């Protein structure tokens, strides 16, 4: 009886250049994403002069398209075969349209007609989000394909988180510089959008160049023993949603980002209209949050390697919840305390960047154990779609709440008006209690997440044993073809 063929593994651990290149790729999505979250709603209502409800609805236009766009690109990327692999063609195809679509979002058409403005920004949003999905979804899926190690994934996602936060700091710092140098608000945003579009596009190309060698190493050991599912997309969704750890990750991610995106969207209104401060305090406050989060990213990563991913989330997020409630009680003269609260928001925020994304590759391994297939594209498509839905819901609800509260919109030529008490009260609720409650939902989902380091180690051992067995079988039955399609029905192997 022949001895089992040993499972191949990469001869070298995940190296620093690969981690850096993967992190750089995060700039391609996060620079545009952060600018949109922090500035788009404010730009539409206070610069373009769009009604708050229509402004919030602009994001929902893109979400209708994303309901088809996200899962379809995930499904197709799983089935893509090219010399570059499954993910990279989609990144390269989407890079330039992403930059063009993003820059166009910051032009103000020469019209005051509300519906023409709505049509312009809605149409540009469809172009942008199609390219955004093509790039961001496939880049995120690479995390599951560059390493199989539980701890290496924490390290890799720490670089992703660091560059994600760094993207926010870069974009906010750039905005601070541009806003200080240029008086015309419409020109400010146009320049900001163009520069960020160029940087994001270049980052995508650098990521492809810097990670492809490592990707091919990992893919070489998987392709002969791991099948790609050709099930209908609806059945693949059903399999994904039957994966309980995945449901937990979705809950953690959705609660985290719905809360934090709401806070980010309302922050300029809070700083300018409630605290009564000049607009540069908004970018300084946001930079304080993101700077704190960046400085603690690798600290949380090191702690997670000792106590686990779930544990750091359950430690960091309660700090953010308390800080958000502190913002609610702030009075206009407590500027120093506002910055202190911003530091504590950032302290917990970094765990929200690290934890869901480092859990998701482990969920993909768990799915492979149960089904015999790898469907990173499907899992990451669903999470990317949830991320964009969270942004859209946050901005839409903020816009709708402001509109219902009597918030007074302005154009770039007008001075900020005195807002009614109802609008100020709504702004305070949206900066504190509402996102805090949503974050507590994320803690509940984290409590039930089942994949620990030891559990993941067992998953990998069983996968290696199966791959060894299948390699031996394929070697003995070459050309037989009888076992092709194992697992196509998605039945549980575990």
């Amino acid at each position: 009886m022949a001895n089992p063929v040993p499972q191949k593994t990469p001869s070298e651990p995940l190296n620093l250049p690969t981690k850096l290149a993967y992190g750089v790729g995060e700039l391609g999505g996060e620079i545009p994403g952060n600018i949109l979250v922090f500035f788009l709603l404010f730009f539409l209502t206070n610069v373009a002069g769009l009604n708050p409800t229509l402004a919030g609805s602009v994001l929902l236009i893109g979400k209708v398209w994303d309901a088809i766009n996200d899962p379809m690109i995930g499904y197709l990327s799983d089935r893509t075969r090219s010399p570059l692999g499954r993910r990279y063609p989609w990144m390269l195809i989407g890079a330039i349209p992403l930059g063009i679509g993003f820059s166009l979002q910051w032009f103000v058409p020469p019209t005051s007609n509300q519906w023409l403005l709505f049509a312009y920004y809605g149409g540009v949003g469809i172009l942008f989000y199609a390219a955004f999905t093509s790039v961001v979804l496939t880049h995120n899926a690479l995390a599951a394909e560059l390493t199989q190690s539980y701890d290496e994934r924490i390290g890799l996602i720490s670089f992703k988180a660091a560059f994600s936060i760094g993207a926010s700091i870069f974009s906010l710092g750039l905005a601070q510089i541009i806003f200080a140098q240029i008086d015309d608000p419409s020109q400010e945003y146009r320049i900001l959008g163009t520069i960020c579009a160029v940087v994001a596009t270049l980052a995508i190309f650098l990521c492809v160049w810097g990670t492809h060698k490592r990707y091919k190493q990992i893919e070489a050991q998987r392709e002969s023993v791991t099948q790609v599912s050709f099930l209908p997309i609806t059945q693949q969704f059903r399999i994904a949603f039957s994966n309980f750890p995945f449901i937990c990750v979705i809950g953690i991610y959705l609660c985290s980002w719905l809360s934090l995106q709401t806070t980010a969207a309302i922050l300029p209104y809070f700083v300018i209209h409630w605290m009564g401060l000049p607009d540069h305090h908004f970018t300084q406050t946001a930079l304080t949050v993101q700077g704190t989060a960046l400085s603690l990213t690798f600290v949380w990563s090191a702690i997670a390697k000792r106590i686990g991913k779930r544990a750091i989330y359950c430690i960091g997020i309660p700090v953010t919840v308390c800080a958000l409630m502190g913002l609610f009680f702030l009075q206009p003269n407590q500027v120093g305390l506002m910055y202190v609260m911003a530091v504590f928001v950032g302290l917990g925020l970094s765990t929200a960047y690290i934890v869901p994304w480092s859990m998701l590759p482990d969920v993909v391994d768990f799915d492979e154990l149960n089904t015999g297939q790898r469907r990173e594209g499907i899992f990451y498509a669903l999470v990317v779609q949830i991320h964009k839905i969270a942004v859209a819901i946050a901005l839409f609800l903020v816009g709708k709440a402001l509109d219902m509260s009597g918030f007074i919109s302005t154009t770039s030529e007008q001075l900020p008006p005195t807002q009614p008490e109802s609008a100020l009260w709504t702004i305070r609720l949206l900066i504190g209690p509402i996102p805090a409650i949503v974050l507590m939902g994320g803690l509940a989902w984290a409590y039930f997440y089942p994949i620990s380091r030891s559990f993941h180690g067992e998953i990998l051992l069983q996968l290696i044993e199966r791959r060894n067995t299948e390699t031996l079988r394929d070697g003995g039955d070459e050309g037989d073809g009888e076992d092709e399609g194992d697992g196509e029905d998605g039945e549980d192997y575990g």
Side-chain angles (χ1 to χ4, degrees), residues 78 227 229 235-243 245-246 360-376 378-379 451 459 463 466 487 490-494:
D78 277 343
Q227 297 188 27
S229 177
Q235 192 169 344
Q236 295 208 46
F237 286 164
R238 190 160 58 249
I239 294 170
F241 282 113
S242 68
N243 185 320
F246 180 59
L360 194 53
D362 302 339
V363 168
V364 174
D365 290 339
F366 183 71
D367 176 67
E368 183 187 359
L369 180 65
N370 286 337
T371 68
Q373 302 154 6
R374 292 197 69 87
R375 57 183 105 246
E376 290 96 336
I378 291 293
F379 283 105
I451 301 180
I459 292 171
L463 288 176
R466 178 191 294 168
E491 291 179 0
D492 191 347
Y493 284 17

Side-chain angles (χ1 to χ4, degrees), residues 274 401-408 419-430:
W274 171 248
L402 290 174
D403 195 19
M404 294 176 64
S405 71
F407 180 84
I408 303 171
Q419 298 293 344
E421 285 297 321
S422 57
L424 296 176
W425 178 252
T426 299
I427 290 169
R428 294 175 64 202
L429 286 175
L430 289 170

